[in-house]
Amino acid sequence: MKGTVVTAMGRFYTVEKDGTQMNCGLRGRIRKDPALRRYSEPVAVGDLVDFSINDDGETGTIEEILDRTNVFTRKDRGRRREDLIAANLDQIVIIQSFSTPKLNLRFVDRLIVRGMKEGIPAIVCVNKADLAGRKDIEQVRSYYSGTDQPLFFTSAKTGRSLKDFSREVRGRLSILTGSSGVGKSTILNALFPGLNLRTSEVSASTGKGRHTTTNVSMVNVGDGTRLIDTPGLREFGLMDIEPEQLGSYFFEFPEYAHNCAFSPCTHDHEPDCEVKRQVEKGTIHEERYISYLNILYSLKEYYGNRYK
Ligand code: GDP
Ligand code: ZN
């Protein structure tokens, strides 16, 4: 039988089929699959699986993981394996807010890069627009000017843009990220009355060598709208991206990069760099460029140390 993994609690999974859920374990050979050994646990929420019912008639066994369209993973520095957080996502929904907690566009950029690398588009929702001036909103828009980044400026308080935002979420499987206090619960309760978003927790890294349990669950709010909440997701690696490739994950850079004198160009120290010229001209927002450099330096440091 085919079903969808809706919760992952360490080594235990819940698989849903036609609205019914079943606790499932994993057939041993899946753990031995060489293609899955890079992950701390081989199955993720969002996975489509083939499963069978055990002799007790109540629990099941996952026999096979069907091909994935994408995966969302987290890898901490110093840890050997990646945590699989979710699979087969339609989009990453990044919720931020004006006022408090403060906007963190560098974090947003890192997530967008993470998504692009996996082929998962991201949408950005900046909530508490009622507390923002026109200038604050313009600033975010200009930060992403020259990109096709979908941006929503919502207010759960006044209802502003909630309809537009909900249209993007409807009928899709989304992973939600947002630090505590941005208004995520208020937005979701407004969009989906009666929703009781179970707190699912992506536990923080406990450091080298120790086993970390990743608890993630999906909520189905009907009409194919499915949400995976990740309240604890603050850190995730981009270490699988080579420094020279990073520019291709900043939407507005590639169209200029072919006019850089060097190829590949990291748009940093190289002379005659078109991206830097566009930053000077103001076509690319300076802060966005600094955000790029920020990631670039962390990648260079990582790769530099790795090859020493
Ligand atoms: P969560 O931790 O992201 O789920 O945040 P909550 O939904 O619990 O909201 C945190 C606080 O922000 C609460 O006091 C909400 O009333 C407030 N809040 C949420 N959305 C808005 C908004 O659009 N505007 C304003 N002014 N406050 C909001
Ligand atoms: Zn360049």
Side-chain angles (χ1 to χ4, degrees), residues 260 265 267 273-275:
C260 295
C265 179
H267 321 306
C273 166
E274 184 64 20
V275 168

Side-chain angles (χ1 to χ4, degrees), residues 127-128 130-131 155-157 179-186:
N127 190 40
K128 308 194 187 179
D130 55 288
L131 301 178
S155 168
K157 200 168 178 181
S179 3
S180 149
V182 295
K184 190 167 55 177
S185 327
T186 317

Side-chain angles (χ1 to χ4, degrees), residues 78-129:
R79 286 189 63 219
R80 204 162 53 90
R81 292 190 184 173
E82 293 168 78
D83 292 326
L84 257 183
I85 294 174
N88 301 318
L89 294 169
D90 291 316
Q91 62 188 0
I92 302 170
V93 175
I94 308 169
I95 306 180
Q96 292 263 317
S97 66
F98 290 108
S99 183
T100 43
K102 241 178 74 188
L103 259 177
N104 185 351
L105 294 179
R106 292 199 193 167
F107 178 77
V108 173
D109 288 343
R110 294 175 65 87
L111 261 170
I112 294 172
V113 168
R114 176 76 271 154
M116 279 186 89
K117 168 81 177 156
E118 305 295 341
I120 313 167
I123 67 174
V124 176
C125 163
V126 189
N127 190 40
K128 308 194 187 179

